[in-house]
Amino acid sequence: MEGEFWVVRTPVQKANALDHLNRLKPDSEKPMAVKVEPFRATRSTLQNRFLWGWVYAEIARQLDEAGIVIPCDDGTEHPYTKELLHEIFKQKFLAIGSIEAKGKSITLYGSTTKLTKKKFSEYLEDVRRFVFDFWHITVTDPYAGEYKAIWGELSRGCKDHKRG
């Protein structure tokens, strides 16, 4: 029963959650924590797979094929990886503020894992627009398989945002 997560919207869901709690066996050696807080929809595992498995992978692949690398002061060059692209886009689109520490300003960035479906869709569109404007790279919509289904769900979220 470890790692259970319940979203309660109806009396039946509440009853199911309470039933689950009632079945827990208290153990002083392995205590359990129960946290009740307002539900906030965040990025799903499928959305995460789409971001890393399709969007970042497509950008990294196209940069590699075009021979676009990061030139360093020491004369070396480094490829754009999915992890590096993620950090670049976080800094570009997810800055939440800054703090002063020892006379220097440190910028703080949000996490893509905390984005709602709508905000995640906006983030994807910002990334796609940026890579097109900056590198003339087009991140195409997936044409088949799992990523196509995920993109369909995400693009509906983005259209909802544009209407509102």
Side-chain angles (χ1 to χ4, degrees), residues 122-140:
E122 291 174 17
Y123 175 79
L124 287 177
E125 288 305 310
D126 288 342
V127 166
R128 291 172 78 162
R129 193 171 19 262
F130 175 81
V131 299
F132 181 79
D133 292 344
F134 195 75
W135 290 303
H136 305 293
I137 288 176
T138 300
V139 179
T140 59

Side-chain angles (χ1 to χ4, degrees), residues 10 15 22 38-39 54 59-61 75 98 107 110 112 153:
T10 68
N22 285 329
F39 176 71
W54 183 264
I59 297 167
R61 181 187 61 76
S98 62
T107 304
T112 56
E153 176 187 334

Side-chain angles (χ1 to χ4, degrees), residues 41-50 112-113 115 117 120 150 153-154:
T42 57
R43 189 178 77 193
S44 71
T45 302
L46 289 177
Q47 289 170 323
N48 186 52
R49 285 176 39 206
F50 181 78
T112 56
T113 62
L115 298 176
K117 183 177 172 183
F120 184 75
I150 298 168
E153 176 187 334
L154 295 176

Side-chain angles (χ1 to χ4, degrees), residues 15-153:
N16 289 340
L18 288 172
D19 181 57
H20 178 80
L21 286 172
N22 285 329
R23 285 184 278 132
L24 289 177
K25 305 220 182 319
D27 184 342
S28 61
E29 298 294 318
K30 293 183 179 179
M32 301 291 280
V34 177
K35 181 179 183 180
V36 177
E37 62 185 21
F39 176 71
R40 182 175 163 260
T42 57
R43 189 178 77 193
S44 71
T45 302
L46 289 177
Q47 289 170 323
N48 186 52
R49 285 176 39 206
F50 181 78
L51 178 64
W52 289 87
W54 183 264
V55 177
Y56 291 165
E58 276 292 296
I59 297 167
R61 181 187 61 76
Q62 290 184 49
L63 288 169
D64 184 55
E65 287 176 359
I68 299 171
V69 294
I70 303 164
C72 296
D73 292 340
D74 64 3
T76 61
E77 296 177 336
H78 298 278
Y80 283 92
T81 63
K82 293 186 288 187
E83 293 79 9
L84 183 57
L85 290 167
H86 184 66
E87 291 304 314
I88 290 168
F89 301 140
K90 275 178 49 175
Q91 290 181 26
K92 179 80 177 148
F93 303 115
L94 298 178
I96 58 174
S98 62
I99 59 171
E100 294 295 321
K102 296 185 180 183
K104 294 184 180 182
S105 180
I106 300 172
T107 304
L108 304 174
Y109 304 99
S111 170
T112 56
T113 62
K114 303 294 185 206
L115 298 176
T116 63
K117 183 177 172 183
K118 186 184 290 187
K119 291 291 185 187
F120 184 75
S121 293
E122 291 174 17
Y123 175 79
L124 287 177
E125 288 305 310
D126 288 342
V127 166
R128 291 172 78 162
R129 193 171 19 262
F130 175 81
V131 299
F132 181 79
D133 292 344
F134 195 75
W135 290 303
H136 305 293
I137 288 176
T138 300
V139 179
T140 59
D141 295 345
Y143 54 87
E146 173 190 31
Y147 293 124
K148 181 178 181 180
I150 298 168
W151 177 243
E153 176 187 334

